Amino acid sequence: MAGKLTAAQGTGILLVTANVGSLFEDPENLQKTWLREFYQVIQSHKPHFLAVHCQEVGGKNYEASMSHVDSFVKELLSSDAMREYSRVRVYLDENYKSQEHFTALGSFYFIHESLKNIHQFDFKAKKFKKVLGKETCSETLESTPTLEKEKFPQDYFPECKWSRKGFIRTRWALADCAFDLVNIHLFHDASNLVAWEKSPSVYSGTRQKALGYVLDRITDQRYEKVPYFVFGDFNFRLDSKQVIESLCSTATMQTVRAADTNEVDKLIFRESDNDRKVVLQLEKKLFNYVNQDVFRENNGTSLLEFDKELSVFKDRLHELEISFPPSYPYSEDSSQGKQYMNTRCPAWCDRILMSSSARDLVLKPENEEKSIVYDNIGPNVCMGDHKVTTGARPPPALCLHTCFIIIIIYSSYPRVPQW
């Protein structure tokens, strides 16, 4: 796609988002497979600039997984596949002892040796500086001048319980084209039963508030406004009430309550005839639907009408057309690469979004259709609960924790458009 790495053919940019929590639960198997397939993507597309945004770095037990994180980073930096990337910036939020700051986000940036004119913004000095050498920053990200990192305010968290949610922002300049890259992790749905109660759900409102907070922060008056890409685990979900009503339109609902509290414990949807066959069983952490094919057929696009959370930001955020199945929650059984877990309603949680001005950069008239890819990979083999994405041509079969990849090839360095 990119051909030889020459300036005449433009600059290939690869953006990847990956919730990598699974990798640190079983590093001997999952991590090796993840890295092998990741390197294949790099070798296939040969990007000049590569940005990898990771969430849940270290997995559930970060303190115990610290050594696995270190080995993961060392492997990335020393691998043969990455040897032509002469400049690297790695930002890892490893300060797990600071509850009010810890996000478990990790942002990796790799610059190919052929790309000469690239700078990174210093937010404290308020100026761009040339990128040289390889640097890894961790634990003290709050004082690192080349990024902005924030955990969401505590009152944004459901029930004010801390969790690892927030964002990291960096700013880059390729020649005279400046843009922001924002790594983000938003709140999940804690209970399927609560999500079902109303449309839109209370969780959707929490995510909307947090995403609005991020957009306001990265477009405020402190710095010049530039195009931005926001990519990460947004935890966007289908509108639970509406999608269940659609999937179970001819079913009758039975409510099961807990004996001690009388609270709803389970909802069972049965067909009116056909021996009252169970169509869907819904519990706090159970979404057991009778026919998972509906989420896979035609890449699940018939359900996109229920993917509504981004619509609130239609004037501020844009996305390329989705043509891949819901990215979450895939089975973590390695023999069930196409199977969803019966924990949540499948949804497109992991996304790459962009501002209007960033979209103008991407959708330049001279860009060929094949120059821009937004897709996923790995339909057959699973090693995590999110899927991986690639571009250009059909990739090897794989299932990793979610990666989305967008490839942008400029015919020349574009100037920053007016905001």
Side-chain angles (χ1 to χ4, degrees), residues 218-287:
I218 66 175
T219 59
D220 60 21
Q221 301 301 315
R222 294 171 299 148
Y223 307 102
E224 180 184 359
K225 293 180 181 180
V226 300
Y228 55 84
F229 297 87
V230 186
F231 49 112
D233 183 356
F234 291 84
N235 264 313
F236 287 161
R237 307 300 170 96
L238 303 184
D239 187 301
S240 293
K241 190 168 185 63
Q242 292 187 8
V243 76
I244 290 173
E245 289 174 349
S246 175
L247 294 174
C248 305
S249 59
T250 61
T252 57
M253 186 182 74
Q254 173 189 354
T255 301
V256 179
R257 297 182 179 273
D260 52 345
T261 64
N262 201 40
E263 292 182 355
V264 176
D265 188 53
K266 182 186 306 184
L267 298 176
I268 302 174
F269 297 81
R270 299 178 184 272
E271 293 185 2
S272 300
D273 47 20
N274 194 22
D275 296 326
R276 292 186 51 77
K277 179 181 177 181
V278 175
V279 178
L280 171 67
Q281 187 165 313
L282 192 72
E283 299 178 18
K284 180 178 181 179
K285 294 186 178 181
L286 178 71
F287 185 95

Side-chain angles (χ1 to χ4, degrees), residues 316-333:
R316 305 178 73 181
L317 288 172
H318 306 275
E319 184 176 25
L320 299 182
E321 182 179 356
I322 292 177
S323 58
F324 43 84
S327 65
Y328 171 88
Y330 279 90
S331 170
E332 294 176 302
D333 182 341

Side-chain angles (χ1 to χ4, degrees), residues 302-414:
S302 64
L303 299 172
L304 279 171
E305 64 175 295
F306 305 109
D307 180 69
K308 299 180 176 183
E309 295 196 32
L310 188 56
S311 63
V312 177
F313 300 95
K314 64 181 185 297
D315 296 328
R316 305 178 73 181
L317 288 172
H318 306 275
E319 184 176 25
L320 299 182
E321 182 179 356
I322 292 177
S323 58
F324 43 84
S327 65
Y328 171 88
Y330 279 90
S331 170
E332 294 176 302
D333 182 341
S334 61
S335 67
Q336 300 291 333
K338 294 184 178 181
Q339 190 77 12
Y340 287 103
M341 285 193 290
N342 293 325
T343 53
R344 309 289 183 188
C345 178
W348 289 270
C349 292
D350 311 88
R351 319 277 275 261
I352 293 177
L353 309 179
M354 62 198 80
S355 64
S356 298
S357 51
R359 182 186 58 177
D360 291 341
L361 290 178
V362 173
L363 301 178
K364 292 174 67 66
E366 61 267 32
N367 281 338
E368 296 181 6
E369 182 180 352
K370 293 182 179 179
S371 295
I372 306 169
V373 180
Y374 186 35
D375 201 358
N376 71 0
I377 68 171
N380 297 322
V381 182
C382 186
M383 50 176 288
D385 54 352
H386 293 244
K387 281 283 186 183
V388 181
T389 336
T390 191
R393 58 184 177 83
L398 172 70
C399 165
L400 310 176
H401 215 95
T402 307
C403 296
F404 284 88
I405 298 170
I406 178 172
I407 298 177
I408 309 160
I409 300 183
Y410 298 120
S411 58
S412 62
Y413 287 117

Side-chain angles (χ1 to χ4, degrees), residues 155-156 158 186-189 195 198-213 235-237 239 309 312-313:
D155 61 347
Y156 278 52
L186 297 182
F187 306 101
H188 68 286
D189 281 13
K198 65 177 184 177
S199 172
S201 77
V202 62
Y203 303 119
S204 173
T206 301
R207 287 188 287 271
Q208 176 184 334
K209 182 179 179 182
L211 181 53
Y213 176 87
N235 264 313
F236 287 161
R237 307 300 170 96
D239 187 301
E309 295 196 32
V312 177
F313 300 95

